[in-house]
Amino acid sequence: MKKRVLIVTAGFGEGHNTAAKNIRAALLSENPDSEVLISDLYAVTNPRLNRMMQAGYRFAINRATTIWHTIYKAFDYPGAIESTLPLIAKMRDAFLRQIESFRPDAVVSTYPIYGFVKDEITKKGNAFTMPFFTMVTDSTLINSAWYRRPSTAFLVPDQPTKDCLLRKGVDEKIIHALGFPVALCFENLRPVLPDATPPWKVLIMPSTRRSVALRILTAVLARKDTTATIVAGRCQYVLDGLENSPFSKDPRCKILGWTDKMPELLAEHHLFIGKAGGATVQEAIAAQCPILISHVVPGQEEGNIALILQNQIGALANTNELMKNSLDLAFDHEAATWRNWKCNIAQHSRCDASRNIARFILTNC
């Protein structure tokens, strides 16, 4: 049966858009007759302001983390977001117009603000009769903005996140730990096995700071039994710095810019080093690649650190000393710690999460 699904998202961090895109792909794979629309209502209602807000967000999480942490914590208190609702009347109206024109059988939100916007629609006397599913893209330590407004169901990436919502009073019947929606290609990956031998292949995704990238490479290649693949992404500043560094001539180092092969790279490497972003961490788990965290954004990424440490699938390595010690911990003594991480992460891998989420949505809309 043909279904229409509206997915609302926002471009503040990669996790929200990644989740939206992967849910759409899974919905179309499960039901090719479906119509699935992804909409960023921030961009729809005020594109210029949205670009400015995204730039401010990127600056805050990379250069002014203390300020961002203060903002993030403020969102956790009831009344903080609610006090801004009069300012988002355009978003409310755009949301209502999309519902009236697209006529979805279900709405999926991958960003917490839309629960509040939905309530503003109903307060104006407009019926919101279709199911509203909230896809929580954070893990373990959850900002209350995600669940302060009702939802037909809260879809969460793992049991620790479900436990968090339960402790906060959310009804267990509407919390479903279906996994984080990673790309469908993760279903076909063949990760390296725990009985692997050196050289140890390390995949690095540095922050936007060139100095951080160079420090991580220095620590990795200081060991004689490692090789490094470093992905600069779309950050030309970092890529230029790497290509002009001595590492560009080191045969044990491969330098990449943007790539769409991250799932394959994660699966074929023994260890991943990068920031604690929600999508990044969940993709490493899906590919069964143990994780060292080199950079943490206070607030939303602290839960991802907790997830890694609680499940013993990696370590926090956000200083030079911790990076060196973590690499030694992982690979010394015949890589006993790495092998333990590898066995643990295989138990938490949910490479079919997007498909399970899609099936849940189609069944319940």
Side-chain angles (χ1 to χ4, degrees), residues 166-187:
L166 287 172
R167 290 193 298 271
K168 299 299 183 179
V170 180
D171 187 351
E172 182 175 12
K173 294 178 181 177
I174 62 171
I175 311 172
H176 303 269
L178 300 178
F180 184 92
V182 296
L184 295 177
C185 65
F186 279 88
E187 295 177 333

Side-chain angles (χ1 to χ4, degrees), residues 42 78 91 109 111 113 116 129 175 179 189 197 278 334 344 348 351:
Y42 284 93
M91 186 182 295
S109 168
Y111 192 69
I113 192 68
F116 296 86
T129 57
I175 311 172
L189 297 180
T197 58
E334 298 184 341
N344 291 340
H348 297 280
C351 59

Side-chain angles (χ1 to χ4, degrees), residues 28-283:
L28 294 175
S29 177
E30 289 295 310
N31 187 345
D33 293 331
S34 295
E35 291 184 34
V36 185
L37 174 65
I38 296 177
S39 180
D40 180 344
L41 293 177
Y42 284 93
V44 169
T45 55
N46 198 327
R48 183 178 179 184
L49 178 60
N50 183 59
R51 288 192 294 270
M52 293 173 59
M53 291 172 63
Q54 288 181 352
Y57 171 78
R58 288 191 295 269
F59 176 83
I61 65 172
N62 288 300
R63 303 286 180 172
T65 54
T66 301
I67 294 174
W68 171 250
H69 190 227
T70 301
I71 296 171
Y72 181 84
K73 293 300 290 184
F75 291 157
D76 200 32
Y77 292 99
I81 293 179
E82 290 85 343
S83 66
T84 68
L85 293 178
L87 303 176
I88 60 173
K90 288 184 178 180
M91 186 182 295
R92 177 200 65 209
D93 295 342
F95 198 180
L96 181 58
R97 285 195 300 271
Q98 286 201 335
I99 290 170
E100 291 175 339
S101 62
F102 187 60
R103 294 178 290 112
D105 297 294
V107 176
V108 181
S109 168
T110 66
Y111 192 69
I113 192 68
Y114 292 113
F116 296 86
V117 180
K118 173 181 69 70
D119 278 9
E120 288 300 296
I121 290 175
T122 58
K123 285 179 183 178
K124 294 295 182 180
N126 299 287
F128 201 104
T129 57
M130 75 291 296
F132 182 85
F133 303 113
T134 298
M135 179 70 239
V136 179
T137 58
D138 294 335
S139 176
T140 308
L141 304 175
I142 305 302
N143 193 298
S144 68
W146 280 108
Y147 55 82
R148 283 211 305 274
R149 286 294 181 267
S151 187
T152 306
F154 292 94
L155 314 180
V156 300
D158 44 50
Q159 187 62 41
T161 307
K162 180 175 181 176
D163 293 339
C164 178
L165 267 62
L166 287 172
R167 290 193 298 271
K168 299 299 183 179
V170 180
D171 187 351
E172 182 175 12
K173 294 178 181 177
I174 62 171
I175 311 172
H176 303 269
L178 300 178
F180 184 92
V182 296
L184 295 177
C185 65
F186 279 88
E187 295 177 333
N188 301 317
L189 297 180
R190 296 292 181 267
V192 294
L193 299 176
D195 61 358
T197 58
W200 305 111
K201 298 169 65 176
V202 180
L203 177 64
I204 305 166
M205 275 195 71
S207 70
T208 55
R209 295 189 180 187
R210 183 169 61 189
S211 59
V212 173
L214 295 173
R215 287 202 302 269
I216 295 173
L217 268 180
T218 299
V220 171
L221 295 178
R223 295 184 60 95
K224 303 302 182 185
D225 58 352
T226 55
T227 65
T229 301
I230 186 163
V231 181
R234 290 188 169 91
C235 189
Q236 191 64 40
Y237 170 76
V238 173
L239 181 60
D240 291 344
L242 292 169
E243 291 180 336
N244 292 323
S245 74
F247 294 114
S248 64
K249 299 179 176 62
D250 190 324
R252 294 190 298 142
C253 180
K254 180 186 295 184
I255 299 170
L256 302 176
W258 184 85
T259 177
D260 60 356
K261 300 297 183 183
M262 280 303 296
E264 292 83 357
L265 288 171
L266 283 165
E268 66 189 33
H269 281 75
H270 300 102
L271 187 68
F272 171 74
I273 300 177
K275 69 188 295 292
T280 302
V281 168
Q282 294 292 343
E283 287 177 351

Side-chain angles (χ1 to χ4, degrees), residues 330-365:
F331 296 132
D332 283 353
H333 307 294
E334 298 184 341
T337 297
W338 175 82
R339 297 183 200 284
N340 182 56
W341 290 346
K342 186 72 175 175
C343 291
N344 291 340
I345 204 168
Q347 298 176 29
H348 297 280
S349 176
R350 303 283 294 275
C351 59
D352 59 349
S354 291
R355 199 172 294 283
N356 291 334
I357 291 166
R359 289 169 179 165
F360 180 90
I361 294 167
L362 292 169
T363 300
N364 291 278
C365 70

